[in-house]
Amino acid sequence: MKQLIITADDFGFSDGVTDGILKSMLEGAVSCTSVMVACGNLESIKQKVQLIEGRIGLHLQITNGTPFSKPDTVKSLVTDEGVFPYNWSQLKDIHQQELYKEWHKQIEQLLQLDIVPAYLDTHHNVHRFPAVFEVYTQLAKKYELPVRPLSKNMVQRYNHLGLQTTDICYEAWCGINVTPQSFIAHVLGAFRQIGNKGIVELMCHPAFADEHLATQSLYVKEREAELSVLCNPLIKEYLNKHNIELLDRVPFKTKEYAEKSRF
């Protein structure tokens, strides 16, 4: 059996991103979305996620946005202005205790919105870096949440830790010139990498471009191209033709822990 999860990152990044993701989930092929809570849009998130209940993960942040911790208590994570940097290259010598503290707070903020995440991933996939990966897996193991693989080695490490994951996360399909045909070609390529069986996660960033997004990201018009493709009915036709089951949510059983949501 070949199964595909399409995950839209950055829900909450801006109104245009949030609305684009909602469209891609309600009218298109996107399975689930990863929510950013440190971008100041908590009320908008709380209002809009009701439409996609059970299909929400947490997009842990140390780039873009503002920490929930006091800046002087997480100095290794913030700029001189007390905010997360624009990208990873601006972060030096991450203190794992500070990271653990801040990511706990981000999980708590999501829980305060009455949203229990179905999985954990990270903005800009920063868990590819060793110091971050250790904290990421500690939190995932603590709450028994599925995680995102970025390499075969990472899958092996997750298996060793007893963490749930997909067989591969595919990142390379996107771009301004993407089409339904190129999309399905990339999906088939991802399945070939894992022996044409198992679960592929395909990461995407559909959105309506807006002014706020343009000030925070270099990837803007490409998001609108992704949105158009992911809402194209040909996608589901192609997947069915190639015997790929498109899942409408993450197919993992997660621990019920809402009642113990304080740290």
Side-chain angles (χ1 to χ4, degrees), residues 201-232:
E201 178 189 8
L202 187 138
M203 185 183 71
C204 63
H205 296 84
F208 295 109
D210 60 20
E211 184 176 349
H212 178 73
L213 177 63
T215 66
Q216 297 294 314
S217 176
L218 296 175
Y219 195 76
V220 180
K221 288 298 182 181
E222 295 89 344
R223 296 179 190 244
E224 292 194 323
E226 288 191 31
L227 176 60
S228 177
V229 167
L230 291 165
C231 289
N232 192 312

Side-chain angles (χ1 to χ4, degrees), residues 12-170:
F13 199 1
S14 73
D15 288 340
V17 172
T18 297
D19 292 343
I21 291 173
L22 282 175
K23 180 179 176 67
S24 71
M25 294 180 71
L26 298 175
E27 302 176 21
V30 171
S31 308
C32 53
T33 186
S34 305
V35 174
M36 300 171 75
V37 293
C39 285
N41 293 313
L42 293 179
E43 286 303 316
S44 176
I45 290 171
K46 185 175 182 178
Q47 177 184 2
K48 294 179 178 181
V49 294
Q50 298 177 33
L51 299 170
I52 50 172
E53 186 176 358
R55 302 167 67 185
I56 301 162
L58 179 59
H59 207 44
L60 294 164
Q61 295 168 248
I62 49 174
T63 52
N64 295 118
T66 304
F68 290 103
S69 306
K70 293 181 179 179
D72 62 354
T73 67
V74 288
K75 291 182 179 179
S76 72
L77 307 181
V78 298
T79 66
D80 292 341
E81 291 73 34
V83 298
F84 293 136
Y86 184 79
N87 60 45
W88 169 261
S89 66
Q90 296 172 268
L91 288 168
K92 308 294 183 183
D93 300 322
I94 292 288
H95 292 182
Q96 290 181 319
Q97 287 183 330
E98 294 179 1
L99 180 60
Y100 193 93
K101 174 184 178 179
E102 170 58 25
W103 278 359
H104 257 171
K105 287 182 179 292
Q106 291 183 27
I107 295 172
E108 183 172 286
Q109 288 296 320
L110 192 66
L111 292 168
Q112 287 178 354
L113 298 177
D114 295 323
I115 302 169
V116 178
Y119 59 92
L120 292 178
D121 56 31
T122 66
H123 188 43
H124 292 150
N125 282 334
V126 294
H127 64 284
R128 71 175 75 247
F129 302 103
V132 179
F133 181 81
E134 185 174 343
V135 174
Y136 175 64
T137 54
Q138 285 174 359
L139 286 166
K141 193 167 182 64
K142 179 180 176 68
Y143 296 103
E144 299 184 6
L145 293 175
V147 284
R148 172 177 284 173
L150 302 175
S151 67
K152 290 181 179 180
N153 180 61
M154 197 174 281
V155 171
Q156 292 173 352
R157 295 178 70 182
Y158 289 150
N159 291 338
H160 178 74
L161 292 168
L163 291 169
Q164 293 177 314
T165 191
T166 59
D167 296 290
I168 190 174
C169 176
Y170 195 79

